[in-house]
Amino acid sequence: LASRAPAPGAPRVIPRARANRRRAARASAADTERLPPRDASTRPEDTFREPASSSACRERGASTTEAVARNPAKRTRASSRRAMLAAAVSAPLASAAGGALATGAVDSMVDPRSYFQDVPTLFAPLYGEDSRETRLIEIVPGEVYALEQNLALGPLETPLRCVVVKLKDGTTWVHAPLAPTNEFFELAESVGPVKHVVVPTYALEHKIFAKPALERWPSAKLWVAPGQFAFPVNVPAAKVFGREPDGVLGVRGDASGDVCDGAMTLPGETFTDVSVSLTNANASDPPWLDEIACDVLRCGRFAIAGQDVTLYEATFLHKKSKTLIVTDCVAYVPRAIPVLQTPEKLLLVGKRSTDDPQPPDTFENRVAGWKKMALLVTYFFPEHEELVRPGLVEWSDGWEENFDALAERLLVPPVVRATLYNQNPERVKTYVDRVCKEWEFDKVVPAHWAGPVAAGPAEFERAFRFLEDNSLDAFPEGDMKRGLKPIADSVARR
């Protein structure tokens, strides 16, 4: 179960010194550095070291605290006690707005991984202070990078990814910023000065941190997917993001200026079924379209708190590196445990029964926890997790086979397939045809689970085979019927 790089070549994790003194004291003086204890993919009894780094990597991996000390102007503005109290008082109002207001960062010279989330959400920390570790991965040297953190809900954790592309002028394009820690900001800025921030979809975890990112990078342009919404009441985009977007991605459909799905084009350029190059009324075409192509899919419609909401997702292609950048439309669940997973949480989730004591910290127990965690995150109420009585949950035999049906293949996540893409298969198929026929790519970088994934148009198209016949690549019926099917039936608009 050794970790496998699912992309061509070996994406390189850029090493860095530990940020706090306790870890720094244990670090080797050589170019190698022991992975932190939370490297859950390795056997506990073994010692692992990161590859030797070049001087450039060491500079990118320098302690965030040291970097802040060298350049105090880069520090995120600290929230005062009064601001924190004001945030607490305004929490009910923010909750009513559906978590549409963005998150603020708290500067911490003690812990560069800390931040303050001032809007209630469904994921950790729900509200208040939290700490997240960030990893910087070089996908294509000098061109495409990924920043990774964990998205957590109770004991459940999955990787969450932001993609940074270095443009020809040396500036960068940042896709779906992550939690606003000093560590995240410093690592993103190590690639180059940020010129563009992109919010690719409606989902809260991919847009809530755009506002603090724009506060950190005030000169950056903001580009958003259409269909941004809040519930139970609408909140203006200027409130959500701290300012009006510089452009709404997509093509203009009719005289009313409504945004439609389709491939955005450069002036004078025509794709198979689209020859429109305008975005929203208050912006010109994004200046990066000559380097990063964009296609917007109208995913489906939801009935949310009395609103009939249309949902969109933007897909991008970095042309030079042949890298397809997606958010939620496809994913790749790995067998190997991601590096940032917390061992204690894996052991907790991996128990056969909630009445069992915490199991020994072994490689096998961690793997069991990872597999069960993947099933819980994917299906919400998986088939083999049984409620025996209030307060007692047990796993029955068969869960490993259900994980095997999910793992190590490029697929449309069950929640997306059941709630969105089954609404209008023809529309989604048209989008898949555009991407596969017009774009050349050899790797896919999703925002969740593993990435990059070695995949081209054939593999991408295969992931959507169910559009022709819903029985193809079917997920276990028992996993689907307890959680996802009732949700799909209650909120989706056919």
Side-chain angles (χ1 to χ4, degrees), residues 449-474:
W449 302 103
V453 181
E459 291 79 13
F460 189 80
E461 187 174 36
R462 189 178 303 125
F464 291 86
R465 289 195 307 162
F466 68 90
L467 296 172
E468 299 283 355
D469 182 350
N470 205 36
S471 67
L472 296 174
D473 290 335

Side-chain angles (χ1 to χ4, degrees), residues 6 9 31 34 50 65 99 104 108 119 255 265 303 356 371 388 398 413 445 452:
D31 284 344
R34 177 178 294 188
E50 294 178 354
T65 304
S108 173
V119 174
T265 64
D356 292 344
K371 291 180 178 181
V388 178
V445 187

Side-chain angles (χ1 to χ4, degrees), residues 416-445:
V416 177
R417 175 170 166 175
T419 60
L420 293 175
Y421 292 175
N422 279 343
Q423 294 183 32
N424 192 331
E426 282 303 315
R427 178 184 294 278
V428 180
K429 189 176 185 305
T430 300
Y431 153 79
V432 174
D433 289 343
R434 285 196 307 265
V435 169
C436 293
K437 291 177 181 177
E438 303 292 347
W439 289 357
E440 184 179 356
F441 55 94
D442 56 23
K443 67 186 94 40
V444 180
V445 187

Side-chain angles (χ1 to χ4, degrees), residues 40-78:
S41 65
T42 60
R43 292 185 180 273
E45 64 271 18
D46 293 342
T47 298
F48 291 83
R49 293 182 179 272
E50 294 178 354
S53 60
S54 66
S55 60
C57 289
R58 286 198 301 273
E59 176 60 29
R60 290 194 181 103
S63 163
T64 319
T65 304
E66 295 168 2
V68 171
R70 288 196 304 267
N71 188 357
K74 281 188 172 183
R75 286 185 293 176
T76 308
R77 175 175 52 83

Side-chain angles (χ1 to χ4, degrees), residues 15 23 77 142 172 207-208 288 330 381 414 428:
R23 287 181 178 172
R77 175 175 52 83
T172 63
K207 70 180 181 181
I208 190 173
W288 38 261
V330 292
F381 303 101
V428 180

Side-chain angles (χ1 to χ4, degrees), residues 388-410:
V388 178
R389 54 176 169 76
L392 177 60
V393 175
E394 293 182 350
W395 286 84
S396 59
D397 293 340
W399 61 267
E400 289 190 88
E401 289 79 3
N402 288 21
F403 174 82
D404 290 340
L406 181 71
E408 293 204 335
R409 62 187 178 101
L410 192 69

Side-chain angles (χ1 to χ4, degrees), residues 329-366:
C329 70
V330 292
Y332 184 98
V333 178
R335 293 185 184 278
I337 304 171
V339 171
L340 292 181
Q341 297 301 121
T342 305
E344 292 77 13
K345 291 184 177 181
L346 293 173
L347 298 173
L348 176 65
V349 174
K351 296 194 299 182
R352 187 192 67 83
S353 167
T354 52
D355 274 358
D356 292 344
Q358 187 85 336
D361 187 2
T362 67
F363 180 69
E364 290 72 20
N365 285 338
R366 291 187 186 190

